[in-house]
Amino acid sequence: MLVLSRHRDESIIIGDDIVITIVDIRGDKVRLGIQAPTHITVHRQEVYEAIQREGSHRAVAAAAVPAVNR
């Protein structure tokens, strides 16, 4: 893991087209602004994990349905 220090209004650039900017710092919370192309999905980790769990549940449910009903 790369660890970088940034101040408010400073940015980090990933590749050629993703920019992460420190928008605000309040106590132990940091607000980030993320500029990325529309084909790149950006989620908070807990949202991403929920999406992955939902996809897994759907895959298991689909596998449980007999092939005749598909």
Side-chain angles (χ1 to χ4, degrees):
M1 174 187 303
L2 174 64
V3 178
L4 301 171
S5 297
R6 299 279 72 200
H7 293 105
R8 185 176 303 155
D9 298 324
E10 292 183 337
S11 299
I12 297 166
I13 299 174
I14 300 173
D16 293 328
D17 51 4
I18 300 172
V19 179
I20 300 174
T21 303
I22 307 302
V23 175
D24 194 19
I25 304 168
R26 292 185 187 175
D28 63 346
K29 291 193 176 191
V30 177
R31 293 185 67 194
L32 302 173
I34 302 170
Q35 293 176 306
T38 56
H39 69 275
I40 296 177
T41 58
V42 178
H43 298 289
R44 296 187 323 259
Q45 182 176 356
E46 63 274 14
V47 171
Y48 177 80
E49 289 170 353
I51 291 168
Q52 294 301 307
R53 281 192 305 274
E54 181 64 26
S56 295
H57 292 306
R58 286 185 181 173
V60 168
V65 176
V68 176
N69 292 335
R70 289 189 194 169

